[in-house]
Amino acid sequence: MTPKRFILASLALALTISCGYAADTPKWAAPWIGLPTGEKETNVWYCYRKSFSLPEVPNSAVAKIAVDSKYWLWINSQLAVFEGGLKRGPTPHDTYYDEVDLTKYLTSGPNCIAVLLWYFGKDGFSHKSSGQAGLLFEADIDGTILSSDRSWKIKRHEAYGDTQPPHPNYRLSESNIHFDAQKDLIGWYLPDYDDNDWQESQEFGIPPVAPWNQLWKRPIPLWKDYGLQDYPGSPSLPLVSTGQTVICKLPQNLSITPYLKIDAPAGLTIGIETDTYITSAQYTLRSEYVTRQGLQEFESLGYLTGHAVHYTIPEGVKILELKYRQTRYHTEFTGSFECDDPFYNTLWLKSRNTMILNMRDCFQDCPERERAQWWADAVNILGQTFYSCDTDSHALTRKAISNLVEWQKPDKVLFEPVPAGNWDKELPQRLLTSIGRYGFWTYYFYTGDVETMRQAYPHVRDYLSLWQLGPDGLVTYRTGDWDWTDWGENFDSVAIANVWYYLALESAAEMALLANQPNDVDEYHAKMQSVKKSFNQIFWKGNEYRSPHYTGPTDDRANALAMVAGIAEPDQWPKIRQVLNQQLHASPYMEKYVLEAFFRMHHAQDGLARMKKRYTPMVDSDTTTLWEVWNRQEWGGCSLNHGWSGGPLMLLSQYVAGIAPEKAGFDSYHVFPQMGHLQSIEAAVPTVKGLIKVSLKRSEKEFSLTLLSPPGTTALIGIPKDAVKDMDLIQANSRTIWQRDSEINAIEGLTVEGYDEYYYRFSAAPGSWHFIAIAR
């Protein structure tokens, strides 16, 4: 590291400490090690080795491992970690470390640790480079510390290098991978490999030390690794290449690393890319492999995404095996939704496929073009996780919240995406969305995680202090660095901004109570009342909402948001319903809120009909994921894998199946189905209290609701009044609990809560419940 870079990094460390960031601060024994990296070096790969002996098989061996940027770990020739490390940036200055259990890999006598490190060396929309490649390894083996130090051998892996242009677009911190097998260090990770000509590592200091600064424990799981698999329906192998591109289709759009095994002469170049290599006229990532003489195999370790892998293999090469390795965020799909209309089942599953591909180091907007944690995307994706994934998924939202607030600028501005090293722009409306009902507060309401809200609240309060009410009682419009409302046209930005501000105030008031700051609540409520009153006085035109200077067609987004926020009163709903049935301007990002307005107005059939109208091209397409915009050919071929488009997943489970929390953390929840034209629904929703299962069936004369309710909850159950025509009685677990013109019979574990316009309501204790509503 040059003296100038060391001074700048030291200043960053001082700033980190002075700002009081809440990094995990164990007492470290191990120093960072490596070789000095050139100031402009990028895409550098290093191999590390350490041999040592143990007197016996350990009972416990847990290692803390930190790198800039990624690593692969072998213990005694066994692959222990495939792609460890998180892209840098718990704060603008700090670094993550992994905690890995090595116990099962170690043995008595000689042991060997081998680490392959990939140093990106450049910033991106999801990574802040430290400017120096490095490894920190500290293992507690039955109380004895094994540390990285100068005794670790190191060698730059010269087989890795840069491809010729075109290179990936500037948003990606990763580079293309070029691998020249003629320079390979064959078997370098094996215990008996001769590393006598390798260098000793240089020590860079014990944490916290610049440029890596404070270390934060990795807050999300290591990836789920499926191992190498055959492509389904791939060409019959072995075969001799004709020089034509071999296209290997994947079972669906996946995150993969491609593999090949061939017999070839030396010096030939093989190209590897997926069908998403060019997305929105932007270059993404690819690999190229230069052959050595004879039998050889290669797995390109930087992950790609797509529906198919394209291998361009020169004529005459004998292809022995082509495989892929799927890796993804480690969560299980314990949620589900299935109904009697296959369209919605396919849409729910395509939404889930899209969601999981956009969960990695952070929430991503698209895993091929950017891999960036744009918060508007994150808001839509995080809601989907609560209806499809087990609770391991919650950690990614906690990380996203932490990233956003820890990167707040000294002038209180929040910006996105973060972490990022080459972008720092504020998109005001999207950031209001992030801290409001659908962002931070959705996370709290579904998890009950008070501590995360308490940590985030001061940053939310600071950001909201930048927003002021004008003389008209509405929020003063802020353009920020990028005045972005939605893709497409005909958006009433002023009206939409006021609703996002209203929802952010609503969330802030609730967060203030959790943070024991009750004095802030009255201010937020007063501002909410001002916005609501002025919004209705100024924007309501008798048949629609429209801000005074907006002259385009009526905006479905603005009208839907006013409804879901509670700004619109019930007597305005019929006119809003007309708007939403006539206007089709929202992109897939904001379509979620338009559809939600129908369900909140209890017009499920309208919502289902619009959902089918809007999403039919995606559902009927050959893609297994959802697109960024409605026309897949837009922008030269838009992203076909965009998490913000998956709003229907949440809506189908939350409103159509009707399952949602009443209190934070599912202490109580409701089942208020809105089936529309559907005749049967099976749904499962994973929660912090356990799995909720609901089965709904109806015929002309009978409606049934079966519920499996987890311990520690109270379920509020709504039997729809329109479930069957001329409903005469309701039974629960074979006992009559309601009958027309008769007294209501109580049973153990069930309380009659009365009725409203839409439902007969009952509260139920945990356990199994079977309700039947019967017509006369």
Side-chain angles (χ1 to χ4, degrees):
M1 195 185 321
T2 64
K4 179 181 178 182
R5 291 170 73 198
F6 181 80
I7 292 170
L8 291 173
S10 299
L11 289 172
L13 173 58
L15 177 61
T16 299
I17 295 171
S18 68
C19 288
Y21 292 124
D24 185 26
T25 53
K27 184 174 177 60
W28 294 93
W32 284 86
I33 60 171
L35 295 174
T37 307
E39 191 163 346
K40 295 185 178 180
E41 283 192 286
T42 62
N43 195 25
V44 183
W45 297 69
Y46 291 99
C47 301
Y48 294 80
R49 287 173 55 88
K50 173 64 177 178
S51 297
F52 62 101
S53 291
L54 293 175
E56 58 187 3
V57 176
N59 294 313
S60 174
V62 177
K64 296 181 174 70
I65 306 171
V67 298
D68 183 347
S69 308
K70 294 286 184 176
Y71 72 91
W72 288 257
L73 172 68
W74 290 262
I75 306 290
N76 295 328
S77 77
Q78 295 185 72
L79 181 62
V81 176
F82 187 92
E83 196 200 301
L86 286 177
K87 293 181 176 180
R88 276 191 85 245
T91 74
H93 315 290
D94 297 341
T95 305
Y96 289 107
Y97 73 88
D98 294 349
E99 194 167 270
V100 183
D101 190 343
L102 308 180
T103 309
K104 68 180 181 180
Y105 302 102
L106 298 174
T107 185
S108 61
N111 288 268
C112 177
I113 297 172
V115 178
L116 176 63
L117 184 147
W118 183 14
Y119 171 64
F120 297 161
K122 60 190 177 91
D123 295 330
F125 274 24
S126 57
H127 176 72
K128 171 69 173 174
S129 179
S130 70
Q132 171 63 51
L135 165 70
L136 183 143
F137 184 100
E138 181 175 312
D140 184 336
I141 306 175
D142 287 343
T144 299
I145 303 300
L146 174 68
S147 298
S148 50
D149 59 24
R150 62 174 52 90
S151 70
W152 287 51
K153 294 297 190 72
I154 185 171
K155 186 176 183 66
R156 181 165 176 168
H157 203 319
E158 298 289 353
Y160 285 99
D162 291 319
T163 66
Q164 293 298 312
H167 297 296
N169 73 81
Y170 69 98
R171 304 170 185 87
L172 294 165
S173 52
E174 299 93 328
S175 296
N176 294 332
I177 292 177
H178 171 91
F179 189 89
D180 186 346
Q182 298 170 108
K183 302 177 182 179
D184 196 4
L185 303 171
I186 299 173
W188 70 269
Y189 57 89
L190 300 175
D192 58 356
Y193 182 84
D194 184 1
D195 59 14
N196 284 328
D197 64 343
W198 288 27
Q199 293 177 257
E200 289 185 347
S201 295
Q202 294 186 24
E203 295 183 5
F204 296 136
I206 295 172
V209 63
W212 306 282
N213 306 319
Q214 299 280 5
L215 298 184
W216 295 53
K217 184 177 178 179
R218 180 189 183 113
I220 61 175
L222 292 166
W223 309 143
K224 186 177 179 68
D225 178 2
Y226 289 80
L228 288 173
Q229 304 173 73
D230 293 321
Y231 294 97
S234 62
S236 180
L237 300 175
L239 62 79
V240 176
S241 175
T242 63
Q244 294 184 330
T245 298
V246 179
I247 298 177
C248 296
K249 291 186 177 180
L250 294 160
Q252 62 187 51
N253 199 340
L254 297 175
S255 298
I256 60 96
T257 50
Y259 165 91
L260 58 79
K261 186 176 182 180
I262 57 173
D263 191 345
L268 302 179
T269 299
I270 295 173
I272 308 172
E273 61 190 49
T274 70
D275 54 344
T276 63
Y277 173 57
I278 299 177
T279 296
S280 307
Q282 303 283 313
Y283 291 110
T284 63
L285 294 162
R286 61 185 173 92
S287 300
E288 60 185 29
Y289 175 78
V290 179
T291 61
R292 63 174 182 268
Q293 180 70 37
L295 188 66
Q296 53 206 284
E297 57 185 331
F298 171 67
E299 182 177 2
S300 184
L301 297 177
Y303 84 91
L304 308 173
T305 65
H307 285 88
V309 180
H310 296 188
Y311 294 86
T312 304
I313 301 176
E315 184 177 1
V317 172
K318 188 173 184 180
I319 306 171
L320 303 175
E321 295 181 12
L322 297 175
K323 296 178 182 286
Y324 71 96
R325 182 194 304 268
Q326 179 191 358
T327 57
R328 64 168 176 84
Y329 187 93
H330 204 305
T331 185
E332 301 305 322
F333 298 136
T334 50
S336 61
F337 177 91
E338 188 171 0
C339 67
D340 58 296
D341 188 331
F343 175 88
Y344 301 104
N345 301 336
T346 300
L347 179 55
W348 197 96
L349 289 173
K350 286 194 175 189
S351 298
R352 190 189 71 181
N353 293 346
T354 311
M355 172 204 72
I356 196 63
L357 280 167
N358 285 283
M359 297 169 66
R360 193 85 179 190
D361 295 64
C362 58
F363 287 119
Q364 302 178 141
D365 65 329
C366 55
E368 61 280 329
R369 187 185 67 212
E370 299 185 26
R371 303 184 176 181
Q373 191 164 256
W374 293 103
W375 253 92
D377 302 72
V379 165
N380 281 11
I381 299 170
L382 71 87
Q384 298 165 47
T385 67
F386 293 119
Y387 284 97
S388 59
C389 299
D390 67 17
T391 55
D392 286 342
S393 66
H394 300 176
L396 193 60
T397 303
R398 279 196 301 276
K399 177 183 181 292
I401 293 171
S402 176
N403 288 160
L404 184 59
V405 301
E406 294 293 351
W407 280 72
Q408 189 168 30
K409 296 179 181 181
D411 63 3
K412 303 180 182 180
V413 167
L414 296 171
F415 67 96
E416 57 163 345
V418 289
N422 57 353
W423 181 272
D424 65 349
K425 309 303 182 186
E426 180 197 9
L427 286 72
Q429 292 191 44
R430 295 163 60 106
L431 289 159
L432 289 175
T433 310
S434 308
I435 63 176
R437 180 197 293 175
Y438 292 99
F440 286 16
W441 195 248
T442 288
Y443 169 76
Y444 169 70
F445 210 56
Y446 280 77
T447 65
D449 179 0
V450 174
E451 188 55 35
T452 295
M453 294 298 100
R454 287 175 176 167
Q455 292 175 1
Y457 174 66
H459 301 273
V460 171
R461 179 179 56 198
D462 284 350
Y463 183 63
L464 284 175
S465 72
L466 303 176
W467 296 79
Q468 302 296 323
L469 295 182
D472 58 2
L474 296 167
V475 71
T476 300
Y477 194 82
R478 297 181 66 247
T479 59
D481 300 303
W482 184 2
D483 186 13
W484 193 95
T485 300
D486 189 18
W487 287 138
E489 300 175 335
N490 304 320
F491 37 80
D492 190 343
S493 295
V494 171
I496 291 171
N498 272 275
V499 181
W500 289 135
Y501 178 63
Y502 182 89
L503 290 169
L505 292 171
E506 175 189 77
S507 176
E510 299 288 354
M511 292 173 68
L513 290 174
L514 295 177
N516 299 314
Q517 299 292 329
N519 293 336
D520 295 346
V521 176
D522 289 344
E523 177 186 351
Y524 296 136
H525 285 167
K527 289 179 177 179
M528 289 177 68
Q529 291 170 8
S530 173
V531 170
K532 182 175 181 177
K533 179 181 178 181
S534 296
F535 196 98
N536 281 305
Q537 287 179 342
I538 298 172
F539 295 165
W540 182 247
K541 306 304 179 184
N543 60 348
E544 64 180 18
Y545 283 108
R546 176 184 292 269
S547 64
H549 298 293
Y550 175 68
T551 59
T554 303
D555 183 8
D556 49 352
R557 314 167 188 83
N559 283 268
L561 283 173
M563 189 280 143
V564 300
I567 291 174
E569 299 294 346
D571 62 353
Q572 297 167 295
W573 294 0
K575 295 298 184 182
I576 292 175
R577 180 189 179 193
Q578 290 180 18
V579 168
L580 304 188
N581 275 318
Q582 295 169 1
Q583 304 295 332
L584 299 171
H585 306 301
S587 79
Y589 157 52
M590 292 200 74
E591 182 68 15
K592 186 258 185 187
Y593 304 102
V594 177
L595 295 172
E596 183 171 357
F598 280 121
F599 294 114
R600 282 183 170 261
M601 292 186 291
H602 292 272
H603 290 294
Q605 190 52 47
D606 287 0
L608 289 169
R610 175 165 171 144
M611 189 183 294
K612 184 170 284 193
K613 180 176 183 178
R614 296 290 257 165
Y615 280 93
T616 288
M618 296 193 206
V619 169
D620 290 348
S621 76
D622 58 350
T623 66
T624 61
T625 44
L626 302 178
W627 316 336
E628 183 175 8
V629 291
W630 301 114
N631 179 4
R632 67 185 293 179
Q633 301 306 324
E634 198 163 343
W635 308 327
C638 70
S639 166
L640 302 180
N641 183 2
H642 224 75
W644 74 10
S645 301
L649 184 157
M650 188 175 187
L651 298 175
L652 288 168
S653 296
Q654 180 184 8
Y655 290 103
V656 180
I659 307 165
E662 285 277 323
K663 293 182 179 178
F666 280 85
D667 285 343
S668 66
Y669 67 94
H670 66 241
V671 182
F672 292 162
Q674 296 188 55
M675 297 179 69
H677 68 282
L678 301 176
Q679 300 299 302
S680 67
I681 295 172
E682 302 283 338
V685 175
T687 78
V688 292
K689 295 295 177 64
L691 191 66
I692 298 170
K693 288 188 172 183
V694 170
S695 175
L696 304 166
K697 292 181 172 62
R698 71 175 178 185
S699 63
E700 185 177 351
K701 295 292 186 178
E702 185 174 293
F703 168 84
S704 68
L705 186 158
T706 302
L707 170 66
L708 181 62
S709 188
T713 64
T714 298
L716 185 60
I717 299 156
I719 304 299
K721 285 186 168 182
D722 61 357
V724 292
K725 188 176 180 181
D726 297 325
M727 189 183 302
D728 187 54
L729 64 84
I730 300 173
Q731 293 180 334
N733 292 355
S734 301
R735 294 183 59 181
T736 299
I737 56 172
W738 176 88
Q739 189 163 11
R740 186 181 300 276
D741 303 325
S742 300
E743 292 186 9
I744 295 173
N745 301 311
I747 65 173
E748 184 177 357
L750 189 74
T751 302
V752 177
E753 300 291 349
Y755 59 89
D756 60 19
E757 184 179 354
Y758 305 106
Y759 299 99
Y760 296 104
R761 295 173 175 243
F762 308 89
S763 58
S768 298
W769 294 93
H770 182 61
F771 294 84
I772 299 177
I774 301 172
R776 288 179 181 177

